[in-house]
Amino acid sequence: MPEMRIALAQVNATVGDLDGNAGLLVAWTKRAAEAGARLVVFPEMFLTGYPVEDLALRASFVEASVAATSAVAARLDAEGLGGIAVLTGYLDRRAGARDRVGRPTGSPLDAAALLHGGRVVVTSAKHHLPNYGVFDEYRHFVPGDVVPVFRLAAGDGGGAGEAVDVAVAICEDLWQDGGPVAVTCAAGAGLLVVPNASPYERGKDDTRLELCQRRAREAGAALAYVNMIGGQDELVFDGDSIIVAADGTLLARGPQFEEALVVCDLALPAADPAVGPGDTPADAQDGTTMTIRRVTLPGEPAAPAAREGAAATPVWPRLGDLEEIYSALVTGVRDYVRKNGFRSVILGLSGGIDSALTATIAADALGPDRVHVVLMPSRYSSGHSVTDAEDLVQRQGLAARTVSVKPMVDAFEADLSLHGLAAENLQSRVRGMILMSLSNEENHLVLTTGNKSELATGYSTLYGDSAGGYAPIKDVTKTLVWALSRWRNEAAAARGETPPIPPNSITKPPSAELSPGQLDSDSLPDYPVLDAILIDYVERDMGMAALVAAGHDPELARRVVQLVDRAEYKRRQYPPGPKVTAKNFGRDRRLPITTRWHEPLPG
Amino acid sequence: MPEMRIALAQVNATVGDLDGNAGLLVAWTKRAAEAGARLVVFPEMFLTGYPVEDLALRASFVEASVAATSAVAARLDAEGLGGIAVLTGYLDRRAGARDRVGRPTGSPLDAAALLHGGRVVVTSAKHHLPNYGVFDEYRHFVPGDVVPVFRLAAGDGGGAGEAVDVAVAICEDLWQDGGPVAVTCAAGAGLLVVPNASPYERGKDDTRLELCQRRAREAGAALAYVNMIGGQDELVFDGDSIIVAADGTLLARGPQFEEALVVCDLALPAADPAVGPGDTPADAQDGTTMTIRRVTLPGEPAAPAAREGAAATPVWPRLGDLEEIYSALVTGVRDYVRKNGFRSVILGLSGGIDSALTATIAADALGPDRVHVVLMPSRYSSGHSVTDAEDLVQRQGLAARTVSVKPMVDAFEADLSLHGLAAENLQSRVRGMILMSLSNEENHLVLTTGNKSELATGYSTLYGDSAGGYAPIKDVTKTLVWALSRWRNEAAAARGETPPIPPNSITKPPSAELSPGQLDSDSLPDYPVLDAILIDYVERDMGMAALVAAGHDPELARRVVQLVDRAEYKRRQYPPGPKVTAKNFGRDRRLPITTRWHEPLPG
């Protein structure tokens, strides 16, 4: 069997940055060529970034993407990289009839292009469009109906002139039955390459490996899965690119949350010389017929270049569950700050665990000198609020200042007669205003420190502690906040470093400190009990009967469900933050604010 | 030809209120029966309200909807209404294979049920699912493939025993080619009834009438189109139900933004007695095959009841363009307040036109005694700010108070050194905090007074003037704010009432009054110029080349586009408000916050 070296470029694209992404494509192709690869594969929609959302519907942007794709093909050739086959995702459009939902011609495509010899050799588009969870692809794209099979000289390991056939599928095409995987099998391709922009969620890496192995066996082909890395608004892409043999054996795997070139030598079946270029129809086994579009890349391979000096990359080790989540949060913060042109962040430090963890994530993402923290004690703040916050500042070397909220609170209370919740919210809003004022004055991005349990139950103040531009732990339940904090401290200790988070912030009972002696447990169930209900209600969408059947206390479950339902208006105005669970508060969960639906108690 | 009296119930359902909506269904069916109708048609998803968003994916809610549909059929019969045919929308689900995007069995349906004789006689579901603009129906539903054709005794006007055939389509089924309209024609039905939940946008009523006329001619059948009325979060349903004859002649039309029973006597072709009940396949002319499901309702019609005393309803007069928009805003505010359990609203009154119009809309929606206004002058407020605001309070009899922002602003400035924009924003945020504090203390809903031009360009302060629970004019450009204000005053004058809005608020140059002598025109182009660019860029999604080709100044267009692009993060945290244009800032326009796409200047 001919042997071919391929490379997967799991690189951090930026949405809308056509020039910047094209520059990355050239630079990483150069690295791939230097490593002796015949073929380098970039992620889904790499040239535009992903997801572009409604930019897919703007004609000027689609045209620019198509032009950028041709331009980068020419640029590769001009830089001596025309001999390596480059497969990249981009945004294209189909001229033709109206699509199935009646949209006019020129419908957008989530496309892939094969670049070689200075030109776009063949293109295709995603066939299966995800339209659930965070995905709205029926809104943005029409389905593709072509599977390209390109033949290229393997160039090494086998006899001269031996060639292999490579098919292309895109992201969701791998997750659904039928379509490009079935067609790849019918076409007899030796390798299926799959560009992806697959957002991270907890535990998804395990699912992905199993999926790649299963689909490789179904297609009867080796499978190379390349995923984007980096943050984009609420999504974090984790990389985790995978190469498996046709029998499912894992051959190479990329790191998580890091850019990398995954290089692998594949023994592939030789292409059948009796099968030539051209289009043939194929039953996609999903009720549609697709076109197999065979092309042959011209020319013999160039000399194997620096091949001997560059080793294939290994299977990077997997991160543990907590490290993986923590890395996703750090990546989300780093990229939101950087890609939006900020250099620093600011947040309030209460001495509690939420702000402590948020500050630690930010310091890991940006460096402690770019993390500005403000201590804003009030009349109800306990002594440990200040000492724990100061301890954290000392441990990490953050840029800290103290602003007393008393004069501002007094000024409001002198003119407005506020009681109970209104008085509590006032303190929280004064803090939010101080942070926003300092953000405006000094150009920091305000980080919001609320966790998912608070966001779920509405245990936060609109324009108070919910104020800010990015919310790093909004998809992290309180129990997970504690677990991540403990893990981060233990990881530091294991490296011989100072644990960054004051142990007292982790162990003390949580309190919003907005009234005398207040504890979270005055208003909310204990967090382990609360979070278990929240995971079943929010992430698993269980109704009340299912919650009770799952063992939750009926009265407590009813109360929690009611809190969650009533807080929808607050969540609608919450800043974005990185998704790490199967269902975040954001694009994943879209409920009306106005509703009178109340989950009925069973029986 | 047999004659049959039908009724369309354009009623205000509430999302999630299965009991309440069922009660409305019974009450309005009773009215229809008393008016002598043989058939009454309710809007799309009437029993659940519309849109239910991700509640469609919750098994407990789907089950409750199905149960409520059977229960209301039985209740109709128990109340002596089993003899009238009732067609209503509801939420159902299909057991069976996985759908086209791979979702498991039990996929939800946007369904319609025919209720008669105490039971659900036949059901169907929307075939064409809209997935553009504000609609996400590929996320929530699977397409229906049945067109019911039910035969019922016409009962009046013709010979005894004469019957007519009625087919059913749902909302989007009318807007797309092929599908239920084509099948209705093939089935030879005499009448096509169409339940809708079609959100208002400016000028849509003209489009709707033309559509109904065209589809009636295509189907060779009379067509009865019933639409919901009322507000639901960002959507307002305007009613505007329509009945046309098979040749397109307009026979009856309901009012806009009001509940009504539209009653009409239709001369319909007699059903062919040779065609009996059962299923037959039909080419839907959209690439699919649908099933025609014929059923015959048992029994002779009851005596014509109070028929003689109840006249068919007329074609209600159309509202003018500005009155129509204004009515949509009033409906949106009234229903958001009422359906979310508030009794009153609060807003800041600056003397400017935005807050004046917002207060007027609120007073028209709720009555002036439920509209609380706060005058919050600052050091930069001009004399007319206070006098114009006081003038408005006098004209309308609103509940007013004055709170000086000076002590609070001073308290912040004593501890924080703020300049320029940070100092301007501070004043705006103090005002937002005062309103939120009073809302918390007194249980008013805070109304946000920003208009679409501000929201587009980011000319507002996060957590300042953008704070609030509902934003009545967020989809109204500044030039339209003025036009609506003038119209409202003129309409009052024409009725011999005091014009509610101070003329000086309409005519004076707009200013945020956050720095000395500040005018909007210091920062923004003149509003007529700005709004023309905004409509082309935001609502028509033109790129830069198209904007220039449309005659906009290139440099100005570039500046406006940049302002709009940079303000996405502010819009993401803005409260909801009623959609009145073809594209609002909300579900209609979904763009990434993080993007480096800049519309290129042509050439």
Side-chain angles (χ1 to χ4, degrees), chain B residues 269-311:
Chain B
D272 180 356
V275 177
D279 286 3
T280 45
D283 177 1
Q285 299 179 23
D286 64 350
T288 70
T289 300
M290 299 189 74
T291 298
I292 300 172
R293 182 155 297 157
R294 296 180 187 274
V295 295
T296 299
L297 297 188
E300 284 296 302
R307 168 72 194 277
E308 296 307 317

Short mmCIF file of all heavy atoms in Angstrom, two decimals, chain B residues 269-311:
data_model
loop_
_atom_site.label_atom_id
_atom_site.label_comp_id
_atom_site.label_asym_id
_atom_site.label_seq_id
_atom_site.Cartn_x
_atom_site.Cartn_y
_atom_site.Cartn_z
N PRO B 269 -69.15 25.17 -3.39
CA PRO B 269 -69.60 24.05 -4.23
C PRO B 269 -69.98 22.85 -3.36
O PRO B 269 -69.35 22.60 -2.34
CB PRO B 269 -68.37 23.73 -5.10
CG PRO B 269 -67.21 24.34 -4.38
CD PRO B 269 -67.75 25.49 -3.60
N ALA B 270 -71.02 22.16 -3.78
CA ALA B 270 -71.44 20.97 -3.04
C ALA B 270 -70.39 19.88 -3.19
O ALA B 270 -69.78 19.72 -4.25
CB ALA B 270 -72.78 20.47 -3.57
N ALA B 271 -70.16 19.15 -2.09
CA ALA B 271 -69.20 18.05 -2.14
C ALA B 271 -69.71 16.95 -3.05
O ALA B 271 -70.92 16.75 -3.16
CB ALA B 271 -68.98 17.50 -0.73
N ASP B 272 -68.78 16.25 -3.68
CA ASP B 272 -69.13 15.16 -4.59
C ASP B 272 -69.49 13.93 -3.76
O ASP B 272 -68.63 13.35 -3.11
CB ASP B 272 -67.92 14.87 -5.50
CG ASP B 272 -68.19 13.74 -6.48
OD1 ASP B 272 -69.28 13.13 -6.40
OD2 ASP B 272 -67.31 13.49 -7.31
N PRO B 273 -70.77 13.51 -3.79
CA PRO B 273 -71.17 12.38 -2.93
C PRO B 273 -70.48 11.09 -3.32
O PRO B 273 -70.43 10.15 -2.53
CB PRO B 273 -72.69 12.30 -3.13
CG PRO B 273 -73.04 13.19 -4.25
CD PRO B 273 -71.88 14.06 -4.59
N ALA B 274 -69.92 11.03 -4.54
CA ALA B 274 -69.24 9.80 -4.97
C ALA B 274 -67.88 9.62 -4.29
O ALA B 274 -67.31 8.54 -4.30
CB ALA B 274 -69.05 9.81 -6.50
N VAL B 275 -67.36 10.70 -3.73
CA VAL B 275 -66.05 10.61 -3.07
C VAL B 275 -66.27 10.41 -1.57
O VAL B 275 -66.87 11.25 -0.91
CB VAL B 275 -65.22 11.89 -3.31
CG1 VAL B 275 -63.89 11.82 -2.57
CG2 VAL B 275 -65.02 12.12 -4.79
N GLY B 276 -65.80 9.29 -1.06
CA GLY B 276 -66.04 8.96 0.34
C GLY B 276 -64.83 9.19 1.21
O GLY B 276 -63.78 9.62 0.73
N PRO B 277 -64.96 8.88 2.50
CA PRO B 277 -63.85 9.07 3.42
C PRO B 277 -62.68 8.14 3.14
O PRO B 277 -62.84 7.13 2.46
CB PRO B 277 -64.46 8.75 4.80
CG PRO B 277 -65.93 8.64 4.59
CD PRO B 277 -66.17 8.35 3.16
N GLY B 278 -61.52 8.49 3.66
CA GLY B 278 -60.32 7.65 3.50
C GLY B 278 -59.11 8.44 3.07
O GLY B 278 -59.20 9.64 2.82
N ASP B 279 -57.98 7.75 3.02
CA ASP B 279 -56.71 8.39 2.66
C ASP B 279 -56.38 8.16 1.20
O ASP B 279 -56.53 7.04 0.70
CB ASP B 279 -55.57 7.80 3.50
CG ASP B 279 -55.59 8.29 4.93
OD1 ASP B 279 -56.52 9.04 5.29
OD2 ASP B 279 -54.68 7.91 5.70
N THR B 280 -55.90 9.20 0.53
CA THR B 280 -55.35 9.03 -0.81
C THR B 280 -54.08 9.86 -0.91
O THR B 280 -54.01 10.96 -0.34
CB THR B 280 -56.33 9.49 -1.91
OG1 THR B 280 -56.89 10.76 -1.53
CG2 THR B 280 -57.44 8.49 -2.14
N PRO B 281 -53.07 9.35 -1.63
CA PRO B 281 -51.85 10.14 -1.80
C PRO B 281 -52.05 11.24 -2.85
O PRO B 281 -52.90 11.10 -3.74
CB PRO B 281 -50.83 9.10 -2.29
CG PRO B 281 -51.65 8.04 -2.94
CD PRO B 281 -52.99 8.02 -2.26
N ALA B 282 -51.30 12.32 -2.70
CA ALA B 282 -51.37 13.40 -3.68
C ALA B 282 -49.99 14.01 -3.86
O ALA B 282 -49.25 14.18 -2.89
CB ALA B 282 -52.36 14.47 -3.21
N ASP B 283 -49.67 14.30 -5.10
CA ASP B 283 -48.40 14.98 -5.40
C ASP B 283 -48.50 16.43 -4.89
O ASP B 283 -49.35 17.19 -5.34
CB ASP B 283 -48.17 14.95 -6.91
CG ASP B 283 -46.89 15.71 -7.31
OD1 ASP B 283 -46.19 16.23 -6.40
OD2 ASP B 283 -46.61 15.75 -8.51
N ALA B 284 -47.63 16.79 -3.95
CA ALA B 284 -47.70 18.13 -3.37
C ALA B 284 -46.97 19.16 -4.23
O ALA B 284 -46.92 20.35 -3.89
CB ALA B 284 -47.12 18.13 -1.96
N GLN B 285 -46.42 18.71 -5.34
CA GLN B 285 -45.75 19.61 -6.30
C GLN B 285 -44.61 20.41 -5.67
O GLN B 285 -44.29 21.52 -6.11
CB GLN B 285 -46.77 20.55 -6.97
CG GLN B 285 -47.82 19.75 -7.75
CD GLN B 285 -48.87 20.62 -8.40
OE1 GLN B 285 -48.64 21.81 -8.64
NE2 GLN B 285 -50.02 20.05 -8.69
N ASP B 286 -44.03 19.84 -4.61
CA ASP B 286 -42.84 20.46 -4.02
C ASP B 286 -41.79 19.37 -3.76
O ASP B 286 -40.93 19.51 -2.91
CB ASP B 286 -43.19 21.18 -2.72
CG ASP B 286 -43.68 20.23 -1.63
OD1 ASP B 286 -43.93 19.04 -1.92
OD2 ASP B 286 -43.81 20.68 -0.48
N GLY B 287 -41.93 18.27 -4.52
CA GLY B 287 -40.99 17.17 -4.36
C GLY B 287 -41.42 16.16 -3.31
O GLY B 287 -40.72 15.18 -3.09
N THR B 288 -42.56 16.41 -2.67
CA THR B 288 -43.03 15.45 -1.66
C THR B 288 -44.41 14.93 -2.06
O THR B 288 -45.10 15.52 -2.88
CB THR B 288 -43.14 16.08 -0.26
OG1 THR B 288 -44.22 17.02 -0.25
CG2 THR B 288 -41.85 16.80 0.13
N THR B 289 -44.78 13.84 -1.43
CA THR B 289 -46.13 13.31 -1.57
C THR B 289 -46.85 13.50 -0.24
O THR B 289 -46.29 13.20 0.81
CB THR B 289 -46.09 11.81 -1.93
OG1 THR B 289 -45.40 11.66 -3.17
CG2 THR B 289 -47.50 11.24 -2.06
N MET B 290 -48.05 14.04 -0.28
CA MET B 290 -48.83 14.21 0.94
C MET B 290 -50.04 13.27 0.90
O MET B 290 -50.35 12.70 -0.14
CB MET B 290 -49.29 15.67 1.09
CG MET B 290 -48.13 16.65 1.20
SD MET B 290 -48.66 18.34 1.64
CE MET B 290 -49.04 18.12 3.40
N THR B 291 -50.67 13.14 2.04
CA THR B 291 -51.86 12.30 2.13
C THR B 291 -53.10 13.19 2.27
O THR B 291 -53.13 14.07 3.12
CB THR B 291 -51.78 11.38 3.37
OG1 THR B 291 -50.66 10.52 3.20
CG2 THR B 291 -53.05 10.57 3.54
N ILE B 292 -54.08 12.96 1.40
CA ILE B 292 -55.39 13.60 1.59
C ILE B 292 -56.19 12.71 2.52
O ILE B 292 -56.40 11.53 2.23
CB ILE B 292 -56.15 13.76 0.25
CG1 ILE B 292 -55.33 14.62 -0.72
CG2 ILE B 292 -57.53 14.36 0.48
CD1 ILE B 292 -55.91 14.66 -2.13
N ARG B 293 -56.57 13.25 3.65
CA ARG B 293 -57.32 12.45 4.64
C ARG B 293 -58.74 12.98 4.72
O ARG B 293 -59.00 14.02 5.33
CB ARG B 293 -56.63 12.52 6.00
CG ARG B 293 -57.29 11.69 7.09
CD ARG B 293 -56.31 11.31 8.17
NE ARG B 293 -55.27 10.46 7.64
CZ ARG B 293 -54.06 10.29 8.17
NH1 ARG B 293 -53.73 10.96 9.27
NH2 ARG B 293 -53.18 9.51 7.60
N ARG B 294 -59.67 12.25 4.07
CA ARG B 294 -61.07 12.70 4.02
C ARG B 294 -61.86 12.12 5.19
O ARG B 294 -61.80 10.92 5.44
CB ARG B 294 -61.72 12.28 2.72
CG ARG B 294 -61.12 12.91 1.48
CD ARG B 294 -61.83 12.43 0.23
NE ARG B 294 -61.14 12.90 -0.96
CZ ARG B 294 -61.36 14.09 -1.54
NH1 ARG B 294 -62.25 14.92 -1.01
NH2 ARG B 294 -60.70 14.45 -2.62
N VAL B 295 -62.57 13.00 5.87
CA VAL B 295 -63.48 12.54 6.93
C VAL B 295 -64.82 13.24 6.72
O VAL B 295 -64.90 14.31 6.13
CB VAL B 295 -62.94 12.87 8.34
CG1 VAL B 295 -61.66 12.12 8.64
CG2 VAL B 295 -62.75 14.36 8.53
N THR B 296 -65.86 12.60 7.21
CA THR B 296 -67.19 13.20 7.13
C THR B 296 -67.72 13.39 8.54
O THR B 296 -67.71 12.45 9.33
CB THR B 296 -68.14 12.29 6.33
OG1 THR B 296 -67.62 12.16 5.00
CG2 THR B 296 -69.54 12.90 6.26
N LEU B 297 -68.11 14.61 8.84
CA LEU B 297 -68.66 14.86 10.17
C LEU B 297 -70.08 14.33 10.21
O LEU B 297 -70.87 14.59 9.30
CB LEU B 297 -68.65 16.36 10.49
CG LEU B 297 -67.25 16.97 10.55
CD1 LEU B 297 -67.32 18.40 11.06
CD2 LEU B 297 -66.33 16.15 11.44
N PRO B 298 -70.39 13.58 11.25
CA PRO B 298 -71.72 12.94 11.30
C PRO B 298 -72.82 13.94 11.58
O PRO B 298 -72.58 15.04 12.10
CB PRO B 298 -71.57 11.94 12.45
CG PRO B 298 -70.53 12.55 13.34
CD PRO B 298 -69.59 13.29 12.43
N GLY B 299 -74.02 13.57 11.23
CA GLY B 299 -75.21 14.30 11.68
C GLY B 299 -75.62 15.44 10.79
O GLY B 299 -74.82 16.03 10.06
N GLU B 300 -76.89 15.71 10.86
CA GLU B 300 -77.45 16.89 10.20
C GLU B 300 -77.12 18.12 11.04
O GLU B 300 -76.95 18.01 12.24
CB GLU B 300 -78.98 16.75 10.10
CG GLU B 300 -79.43 15.79 9.02
CD GLU B 300 -79.03 16.27 7.64
OE1 GLU B 300 -79.43 17.38 7.25
OE2 GLU B 300 -78.28 15.54 6.95
N PRO B 301 -77.05 19.25 10.43
CA PRO B 301 -76.83 20.45 11.24
C PRO B 301 -77.99 20.70 12.17
O PRO B 301 -79.13 20.37 11.87
CB PRO B 301 -76.72 21.56 10.20
CG PRO B 301 -77.39 21.03 8.99
CD PRO B 301 -77.19 19.55 9.01
N ALA B 302 -77.67 21.27 13.28
CA ALA B 302 -78.73 21.71 14.19
C ALA B 302 -79.52 22.83 13.52
O ALA B 302 -79.11 23.37 12.49
CB ALA B 302 -78.10 22.20 15.49
N ALA B 303 -80.64 23.17 14.11
CA ALA B 303 -81.44 24.28 13.56
C ALA B 303 -80.57 25.53 13.54
O ALA B 303 -79.67 25.70 14.36
CB ALA B 303 -82.66 24.50 14.43
N PRO B 304 -80.82 26.41 12.59
CA PRO B 304 -79.95 27.57 12.40
C PRO B 304 -79.86 28.54 13.57
O PRO B 304 -79.34 29.63 13.39
CB PRO B 304 -80.54 28.24 11.16
CG PRO B 304 -81.28 27.19 10.45
CD PRO B 304 -81.82 26.29 11.51
N ALA B 305 -80.34 28.17 14.73
CA ALA B 305 -80.11 28.96 15.94
C ALA B 305 -80.47 30.42 15.75
O ALA B 305 -81.46 30.76 15.09
CB ALA B 305 -78.66 28.83 16.40
N ALA B 306 -79.66 31.28 16.30
CA ALA B 306 -79.94 32.72 16.29
C ALA B 306 -79.51 33.35 14.98
O ALA B 306 -79.37 34.56 14.87
CB ALA B 306 -79.24 33.39 17.46
N ARG B 307 -79.27 32.51 14.00
CA ARG B 307 -78.75 32.94 12.71
C ARG B 307 -79.37 34.24 12.21
O ARG B 307 -78.67 35.16 11.76
CB ARG B 307 -78.98 31.81 11.71
CG ARG B 307 -78.76 32.14 10.27
CD ARG B 307 -77.26 32.31 10.00
NE ARG B 307 -77.08 32.95 8.72
CZ ARG B 307 -77.09 32.30 7.56
NH1 ARG B 307 -77.23 31.00 7.54
NH2 ARG B 307 -76.94 32.96 6.44
N GLU B 308 -80.71 34.31 12.29
CA GLU B 308 -81.38 35.48 11.70
C GLU B 308 -80.98 36.77 12.40
O GLU B 308 -80.88 37.81 11.79
CB GLU B 308 -82.90 35.30 11.76
CG GLU B 308 -83.41 34.13 10.93
CD GLU B 308 -82.92 34.17 9.49
OE1 GLU B 308 -82.94 35.27 8.88
OE2 GLU B 308 -82.49 33.12 8.95
N GLY B 309 -80.74 36.64 13.70
CA GLY B 309 -80.44 37.86 14.46
C GLY B 309 -79.01 38.34 14.32
O GLY B 309 -78.70 39.47 14.64
N ALA B 310 -78.10 37.45 13.89
CA ALA B 310 -76.68 37.81 13.87
C ALA B 310 -76.22 38.04 12.44
O ALA B 310 -76.27 37.13 11.62
CB ALA B 310 -75.85 36.70 14.50
N ALA B 311 -75.80 39.21 12.16
CA ALA B 311 -75.38 39.53 10.81
C ALA B 311 -73.94 39.09 10.58
O ALA B 311 -73.17 38.96 11.53
CB ALA B 311 -75.47 41.04 10.57
#
